[in-house]
Amino acid sequence: MTNGMGEWDDELEDSRIDIDPAEDEPELFYTNVAEFVSGKLAPTYRRQLNVQGGVTWCPQWWKHAEAISRLEALWRAWEFLRLDGTTGISVWWRDHADHHMNVLLSADGPFKGCSPDDGHRSKLVPLPCEEPPEGLF
């Protein structure tokens, strides 16, 4: 009596065991977000910085939780989309870089209070949160 699987099913199952998922993963171009920011983003995304409420940037961006999260998202999206030889980089600029960089560089963004000359001076506090009623979620 058979288990309902043909011979080819047994062979397919055996071949799946031998597959190394790491082989299919492309190698990262930048090994971490800091390398991506200094090696790709900063030299490419050039802007005139203005400490009087215009475009802001903190040279110690890694001291800002929101910046870390957004820049990590930019890096991961870039690593994925760079492999698309058709519109990948255009999609990255339109859907990722321009969106996140507009937020990061905005006068009221996470770098508010910092300056490229004086560095990290942010005194922004987390959004206030209260515990939700028990059982709500």
Side-chain angles (χ1 to χ4, degrees):
M1 178 167 232
T2 65
N3 62 4
M5 294 174 56
E7 288 180 29
W8 64 272
D9 290 325
D10 292 335
E11 290 175 15
L12 180 60
E13 189 171 308
D14 290 343
S15 69
R16 280 186 243 159
I17 294 169
D18 295 335
I19 294 174
D20 181 6
E23 280 183 24
D24 295 338
E25 292 182 28
E27 189 173 322
L28 295 174
F29 190 87
Y30 295 100
T31 58
N32 59 54
V33 67
E35 283 186 14
F36 171 74
V37 170
S38 64
K40 175 67 177 173
L41 192 65
T44 305
Y45 213 98
R46 296 174 184 225
R47 297 293 184 272
Q48 180 67 44
L49 300 176
N50 177 357
V51 294
Q52 272 74 32
V55 176
T56 60
W57 177 258
C58 183
Q60 296 175 335
W61 55 266
W62 63 89
K63 291 185 176 182
H64 300 265
E66 181 181 352
I68 291 170
S69 182
R70 287 181 180 276
L71 292 168
E72 175 104 7
L74 281 177
W75 167 53
R76 292 181 182 280
W78 184 86
E79 289 286 357
F80 179 78
L81 290 168
R82 73 182 173 88
L83 300 173
D84 177 350
T86 57
T87 61
I89 294 301
S90 180
V91 169
W92 180 79
W93 278 105
R94 182 195 68 210
D95 294 351
H96 301 279
D98 288 341
H99 171 74
H100 288 296
M101 292 304 288
N102 282 339
V103 173
L104 287 171
L105 298 173
S106 72
D108 201 32
F111 301 139
K112 184 176 183 172
C114 298
S115 80
D117 299 325
D118 298 330
H120 181 73
R121 292 186 282 137
S122 182
K123 298 201 182 336
L124 298 175
V125 296
L127 297 174
C129 292
E130 295 181 9
E131 288 294 317
E134 190 172 321
L136 182 61
F137 297 104

